[in-house]
Short mmCIF file of all heavy atoms in Angstrom, two decimals:
data_model
loop_
_atom_site.label_atom_id
_atom_site.label_comp_id
_atom_site.label_asym_id
_atom_site.label_seq_id
_atom_site.Cartn_x
_atom_site.Cartn_y
_atom_site.Cartn_z
N ARG A 207 -198.81 40.74 94.75
CA ARG A 207 -197.99 39.56 95.08
C ARG A 207 -196.55 39.99 95.33
O ARG A 207 -195.89 39.51 96.25
CB ARG A 207 -198.07 38.56 93.93
CG ARG A 207 -197.81 37.13 94.37
CD ARG A 207 -198.01 36.13 93.26
NE ARG A 207 -197.29 36.52 92.06
CZ ARG A 207 -197.83 36.59 90.85
NH1 ARG A 207 -199.10 36.29 90.68
NH2 ARG A 207 -197.11 36.94 89.80
N LEU A 208 -196.07 40.92 94.50
CA LEU A 208 -194.70 41.39 94.65
C LEU A 208 -194.52 42.06 96.02
O LEU A 208 -193.53 41.83 96.72
CB LEU A 208 -194.35 42.36 93.52
CG LEU A 208 -193.01 43.04 93.62
CD1 LEU A 208 -191.89 42.02 93.46
CD2 LEU A 208 -192.85 44.12 92.57
N ASN A 211 -194.36 39.51 98.73
CA ASN A 211 -193.06 38.84 98.73
C ASN A 211 -191.98 39.73 99.34
O ASN A 211 -191.15 39.26 100.11
CB ASN A 211 -192.65 38.44 97.31
CG ASN A 211 -193.31 37.15 96.88
OD1 ASN A 211 -194.00 36.52 97.67
ND2 ASN A 211 -193.11 36.76 95.64
N ASN A 278 -196.01 28.48 96.48
CA ASN A 278 -195.03 29.11 95.60
C ASN A 278 -194.42 28.14 94.62
O ASN A 278 -194.19 28.50 93.46
CB ASN A 278 -193.93 29.75 96.44
CG ASN A 278 -194.17 31.22 96.58
OD1 ASN A 278 -193.73 31.99 95.74
ND2 ASN A 278 -194.96 31.59 97.58
N LEU A 279 -194.14 26.92 95.08
CA LEU A 279 -193.54 25.93 94.17
C LEU A 279 -194.54 25.55 93.07
O LEU A 279 -194.18 25.43 91.90
CB LEU A 279 -193.11 24.68 94.94
CG LEU A 279 -191.99 24.89 95.98
CD1 LEU A 279 -191.60 23.57 96.62
CD2 LEU A 279 -190.75 25.52 95.33
N ASN A 282 -194.82 28.46 90.65
CA ASN A 282 -193.70 28.46 89.70
C ASN A 282 -193.92 27.41 88.62
O ASN A 282 -193.73 27.67 87.43
CB ASN A 282 -192.39 28.12 90.43
CG ASN A 282 -191.78 29.33 91.10
OD1 ASN A 282 -192.23 30.45 90.91
ND2 ASN A 282 -190.74 29.09 91.89
N ALA A 283 -194.30 26.20 89.05
CA ALA A 283 -194.48 25.10 88.09
C ALA A 283 -195.52 25.52 87.04
O ALA A 283 -195.32 25.27 85.84
CB ALA A 283 -194.92 23.84 88.84
N LEU A 284 -196.58 26.17 87.50
CA LEU A 284 -197.62 26.62 86.55
C LEU A 284 -197.06 27.65 85.58
O LEU A 284 -197.38 27.66 84.40
CB LEU A 284 -198.76 27.26 87.33
CG LEU A 284 -199.91 26.34 87.73
CD1 LEU A 284 -200.83 27.03 88.71
CD2 LEU A 284 -200.70 25.92 86.49
N ARG A 285 -196.23 28.53 86.12
CA ARG A 285 -195.68 29.61 85.31
C ARG A 285 -194.75 29.07 84.22
O ARG A 285 -194.69 29.60 83.13
CB ARG A 285 -194.90 30.54 86.23
CG ARG A 285 -194.75 31.92 85.70
CD ARG A 285 -194.01 32.78 86.69
NE ARG A 285 -194.86 33.49 87.62
CZ ARG A 285 -194.40 34.10 88.71
NH1 ARG A 285 -193.13 34.04 89.01
NH2 ARG A 285 -195.21 34.74 89.50
N TYR A 286 -194.03 28.00 84.55
CA TYR A 286 -193.00 27.52 83.60
C TYR A 286 -193.39 26.22 82.88
O TYR A 286 -192.53 25.52 82.39
CB TYR A 286 -191.66 27.38 84.33
CG TYR A 286 -191.19 28.73 84.84
CD1 TYR A 286 -191.32 29.07 86.18
CD2 TYR A 286 -190.71 29.68 83.96
CE1 TYR A 286 -190.96 30.33 86.63
CE2 TYR A 286 -190.35 30.94 84.39
CZ TYR A 286 -190.48 31.26 85.73
OH TYR A 286 -190.13 32.51 86.16
N THR A 287 -194.69 25.90 82.90
CA THR A 287 -195.15 24.72 82.18
C THR A 287 -196.18 25.15 81.14
O THR A 287 -197.12 25.88 81.45
CB THR A 287 -195.80 23.70 83.16
OG1 THR A 287 -194.84 23.41 84.17
CG2 THR A 287 -196.20 22.42 82.47
N ASP A 310 -192.86 19.07 87.55
CA ASP A 310 -193.58 19.61 86.39
C ASP A 310 -192.94 19.11 85.11
O ASP A 310 -191.83 18.58 85.11
CB ASP A 310 -193.62 21.15 86.42
CG ASP A 310 -192.25 21.78 86.29
OD1 ASP A 310 -191.52 21.48 85.33
OD2 ASP A 310 -191.89 22.60 87.18
N GLY A 312 -192.37 21.12 82.61
CA GLY A 312 -192.11 22.41 81.98
C GLY A 312 -190.75 22.53 81.32
O GLY A 312 -190.12 21.53 80.95
N CYS A 313 -190.28 23.77 81.24
CA CYS A 313 -189.08 24.06 80.44
C CYS A 313 -187.77 23.60 81.10
O CYS A 313 -186.74 23.52 80.45
CB CYS A 313 -189.01 25.55 80.13
SG CYS A 313 -188.94 26.57 81.60
N GLY A 314 -187.82 23.31 82.39
CA GLY A 314 -186.59 22.84 83.06
C GLY A 314 -185.64 23.98 83.37
O GLY A 314 -185.85 25.12 82.96
N ILE A 315 -184.58 23.65 84.14
CA ILE A 315 -183.63 24.67 84.59
C ILE A 315 -182.21 24.21 84.29
O ILE A 315 -181.83 23.10 84.66
CB ILE A 315 -183.79 24.89 86.12
CG1 ILE A 315 -185.22 25.34 86.43
CG2 ILE A 315 -182.78 25.88 86.66
CD1 ILE A 315 -185.64 25.10 87.85
N ILE A 323 -180.78 29.78 91.72
CA ILE A 323 -182.16 30.32 91.75
C ILE A 323 -182.70 30.45 93.16
O ILE A 323 -183.72 31.09 93.37
CB ILE A 323 -183.14 29.46 90.89
CG1 ILE A 323 -182.97 27.99 91.22
CG2 ILE A 323 -183.00 29.77 89.43
CD1 ILE A 323 -184.07 27.14 90.60
N PHE A 324 -182.00 29.86 94.15
CA PHE A 324 -182.45 30.03 95.54
C PHE A 324 -181.91 31.33 96.14
O PHE A 324 -182.11 31.60 97.31
CB PHE A 324 -182.03 28.81 96.38
CG PHE A 324 -182.78 27.57 96.02
CD1 PHE A 324 -182.25 26.65 95.12
CD2 PHE A 324 -184.04 27.32 96.54
CE1 PHE A 324 -182.95 25.52 94.75
CE2 PHE A 324 -184.76 26.20 96.19
CZ PHE A 324 -184.22 25.29 95.29
N THR A 325 -181.17 32.10 95.33
CA THR A 325 -180.68 33.40 95.77
C THR A 325 -181.66 34.45 95.28
O THR A 325 -182.17 34.35 94.16
CB THR A 325 -179.30 33.69 95.12
OG1 THR A 325 -178.49 32.54 95.32
CG2 THR A 325 -178.64 34.91 95.72
N LYS A 326 -181.89 35.49 96.11
CA LYS A 326 -182.93 36.44 95.73
C LYS A 326 -182.58 37.17 94.43
O LYS A 326 -181.40 37.42 94.16
CB LYS A 326 -183.25 37.40 96.86
CG LYS A 326 -182.13 38.23 97.31
CD LYS A 326 -182.49 38.99 98.57
CE LYS A 326 -181.21 39.54 99.15
NZ LYS A 326 -181.31 40.18 100.39
N TYR A 327 -183.60 37.50 93.70
CA TYR A 327 -183.59 38.21 92.41
C TYR A 327 -182.95 37.42 91.27
O TYR A 327 -182.81 37.93 90.17
CB TYR A 327 -182.89 39.58 92.52
CG TYR A 327 -183.43 40.46 93.63
CD1 TYR A 327 -182.62 40.89 94.67
CD2 TYR A 327 -184.77 40.85 93.63
CE1 TYR A 327 -183.12 41.67 95.70
CE2 TYR A 327 -185.28 41.63 94.65
CZ TYR A 327 -184.46 42.04 95.67
OH TYR A 327 -184.96 42.81 96.69
N VAL A 328 -182.54 36.18 91.51
CA VAL A 328 -181.95 35.40 90.41
C VAL A 328 -183.05 34.70 89.63
O VAL A 328 -183.87 33.99 90.20
CB VAL A 328 -180.91 34.37 90.92
CG1 VAL A 328 -180.43 33.48 89.78
CG2 VAL A 328 -179.75 35.07 91.59
N GLN A 329 -183.06 34.95 88.33
CA GLN A 329 -184.00 34.27 87.43
C GLN A 329 -183.22 33.70 86.26
O GLN A 329 -182.20 34.27 85.87
CB GLN A 329 -185.04 35.28 86.91
CG GLN A 329 -185.85 35.91 88.04
CD GLN A 329 -186.94 36.82 87.53
OE1 GLN A 329 -186.66 37.72 86.76
NE2 GLN A 329 -188.16 36.62 87.98
N VAL A 330 -183.71 32.59 85.73
CA VAL A 330 -183.00 31.97 84.61
C VAL A 330 -183.17 32.85 83.37
O VAL A 330 -184.28 33.22 83.02
CB VAL A 330 -183.55 30.55 84.34
CG1 VAL A 330 -182.84 29.91 83.16
CG2 VAL A 330 -183.43 29.69 85.58
N ARG A 331 -182.05 33.19 82.76
CA ARG A 331 -182.11 34.02 81.55
C ARG A 331 -182.79 33.27 80.42
O ARG A 331 -182.62 32.06 80.29
CB ARG A 331 -180.68 34.32 81.08
CG ARG A 331 -180.15 35.61 81.57
CD ARG A 331 -178.67 35.64 81.30
NE ARG A 331 -178.07 36.77 81.97
CZ ARG A 331 -177.72 37.88 81.34
NH1 ARG A 331 -177.89 37.98 80.04
NH2 ARG A 331 -177.19 38.87 82.00
N GLN A 333 -185.86 32.66 79.87
CA GLN A 333 -187.16 32.02 80.10
C GLN A 333 -188.26 33.06 80.09
O GLN A 333 -189.43 32.71 80.20
CB GLN A 333 -187.19 31.37 81.49
CG GLN A 333 -186.58 30.01 81.58
CD GLN A 333 -186.71 29.49 83.00
OE1 GLN A 333 -186.98 30.25 83.92
NE2 GLN A 333 -186.50 28.22 83.18
N SER A 335 -188.73 35.21 82.53
CA SER A 335 -189.30 35.16 83.88
C SER A 335 -190.01 36.44 84.27
O SER A 335 -191.12 36.41 84.77
CB SER A 335 -188.21 34.88 84.91
OG SER A 335 -187.57 33.69 84.62
N SER A 336 -189.34 37.60 84.01
CA SER A 336 -189.97 38.82 84.49
C SER A 336 -191.24 39.12 83.69
O SER A 336 -192.20 39.64 84.22
CB SER A 336 -188.99 39.98 84.44
OG SER A 336 -188.37 40.02 83.18
N GLY A 339 -194.16 37.55 85.06
CA GLY A 339 -194.73 38.15 86.26
C GLY A 339 -193.94 37.94 87.53
O GLY A 339 -194.41 38.24 88.61
N GLY A 340 -192.73 37.42 87.44
CA GLY A 340 -191.97 37.14 88.66
C GLY A 340 -190.91 38.18 88.95
O GLY A 340 -190.53 38.98 88.10
N ALA A 341 -190.44 38.20 90.18
CA ALA A 341 -189.38 39.11 90.57
C ALA A 341 -188.15 38.36 91.06
O ALA A 341 -187.15 38.96 91.43
CB ALA A 341 -189.89 40.05 91.66
N GLY A 342 -188.24 37.04 91.11
CA GLY A 342 -187.09 36.24 91.56
C GLY A 342 -186.95 36.17 93.07
O GLY A 342 -185.84 36.00 93.59
N LEU A 343 -188.06 36.28 93.78
CA LEU A 343 -187.97 36.27 95.24
C LEU A 343 -188.48 34.98 95.89
O LEU A 343 -188.02 34.59 96.96
CB LEU A 343 -188.79 37.44 95.80
CG LEU A 343 -188.20 38.83 95.54
CD1 LEU A 343 -189.18 39.90 95.98
CD2 LEU A 343 -186.89 38.98 96.29
N GLY A 344 -189.45 34.34 95.24
CA GLY A 344 -190.16 33.21 95.85
C GLY A 344 -189.24 32.14 96.43
O GLY A 344 -189.36 31.77 97.60
N LEU A 345 -188.28 31.66 95.63
CA LEU A 345 -187.47 30.53 96.08
C LEU A 345 -186.52 30.91 97.22
O LEU A 345 -186.24 30.09 98.10
CB LEU A 345 -186.66 29.95 94.92
CG LEU A 345 -187.49 29.17 93.88
CD1 LEU A 345 -186.61 28.74 92.72
CD2 LEU A 345 -188.16 27.96 94.51
N SER A 346 -186.03 32.15 97.19
CA SER A 346 -185.10 32.52 98.27
C SER A 346 -185.85 32.61 99.60
O SER A 346 -185.36 32.18 100.64
CB SER A 346 -184.37 33.82 97.92
OG SER A 346 -184.93 34.90 98.58
N ILE A 347 -187.08 33.13 99.55
CA ILE A 347 -187.89 33.17 100.78
C ILE A 347 -188.23 31.73 101.21
O ILE A 347 -188.16 31.39 102.39
CB ILE A 347 -189.17 33.98 100.56
CG1 ILE A 347 -188.82 35.42 100.16
CG2 ILE A 347 -190.04 33.99 101.81
CD1 ILE A 347 -190.01 36.25 99.69
N SER A 363 -183.53 18.87 87.94
CA SER A 363 -184.19 19.32 86.72
C SER A 363 -183.37 18.98 85.49
O SER A 363 -182.14 18.88 85.54
CB SER A 363 -184.36 20.84 86.80
OG SER A 363 -184.97 21.32 85.64
N GLY A 368 -188.35 19.13 82.36
CA GLY A 368 -189.13 19.49 83.54
C GLY A 368 -188.27 19.59 84.80
O GLY A 368 -187.06 19.37 84.75
N SER A 369 -188.93 19.93 85.91
CA SER A 369 -188.21 20.12 87.16
C SER A 369 -188.97 19.48 88.31
O SER A 369 -190.19 19.38 88.26
CB SER A 369 -188.07 21.60 87.49
OG SER A 369 -187.74 22.34 86.35
N PHE A 371 -189.09 20.15 92.40
CA PHE A 371 -188.65 20.85 93.61
C PHE A 371 -189.12 20.03 94.80
O PHE A 371 -190.27 19.59 94.84
CB PHE A 371 -189.28 22.25 93.67
CG PHE A 371 -188.60 23.24 92.77
CD1 PHE A 371 -188.93 23.33 91.43
CD2 PHE A 371 -187.60 24.06 93.26
CE1 PHE A 371 -188.29 24.24 90.60
CE2 PHE A 371 -186.96 24.98 92.44
CZ PHE A 371 -187.30 25.06 91.11
N1 LIG B 420 -190.70 25.02 87.98
C1 LIG B 420 -189.79 25.77 87.36
N2 LIG B 420 -189.43 25.51 86.07
C2 LIG B 420 -188.51 26.26 85.44
N3 LIG B 420 -187.86 27.32 86.01
C3 LIG B 420 -188.17 27.62 87.27
C4 LIG B 420 -189.14 26.88 88.01
N4 LIG B 420 -189.22 27.42 89.25
C5 LIG B 420 -188.36 28.44 89.28
N5 LIG B 420 -187.72 28.58 88.09
C6 LIG B 420 -186.69 29.58 87.75
O1 LIG B 420 -186.15 30.08 88.96
C7 LIG B 420 -186.32 31.50 89.02
C8 LIG B 420 -186.49 31.94 90.45
O2 LIG B 420 -187.74 31.48 90.96
P1 LIG B 420 -188.46 32.33 92.09
O3 LIG B 420 -189.72 31.63 92.50
O4 LIG B 420 -187.45 32.65 93.14
O5 LIG B 420 -188.81 33.71 91.35
P2 LIG B 420 -189.95 34.08 90.31
O6 LIG B 420 -190.96 32.98 90.23
O7 LIG B 420 -189.29 34.51 89.04
O8 LIG B 420 -190.61 35.39 90.99
P3 LIG B 420 -191.49 35.47 92.33
O9 LIG B 420 -191.48 34.12 92.97
O10 LIG B 420 -190.81 36.52 93.12
O11 LIG B 420 -192.86 35.85 91.89
C9 LIG B 420 -187.49 31.79 88.11
O12 LIG B 420 -187.46 33.12 87.64
C10 LIG B 420 -187.27 30.77 87.00
O13 LIG B 420 -186.28 31.27 86.11
#
Side-chain angles (χ1 to χ4, degrees):
R207 205 175 50 231
L208 174 67
N211 278 355
N278 260 272
L279 296 183
N282 277 351
L284 268 169
R285 203 178 268 168
Y286 298 102
T287 304
D310 65 55
C313 60
I315 300 159
I323 48 170
F324 291 95
T325 311
K326 61 189 166 185
Y327 307 119
V328 174
Q329 299 184 307
V330 179
R331 265 168 190 257
Q333 277 181 344
S335 301
S336 49
L343 290 172
L345 288 176
S346 101
I347 300 170
S363 179
S369 318
F371 282 84

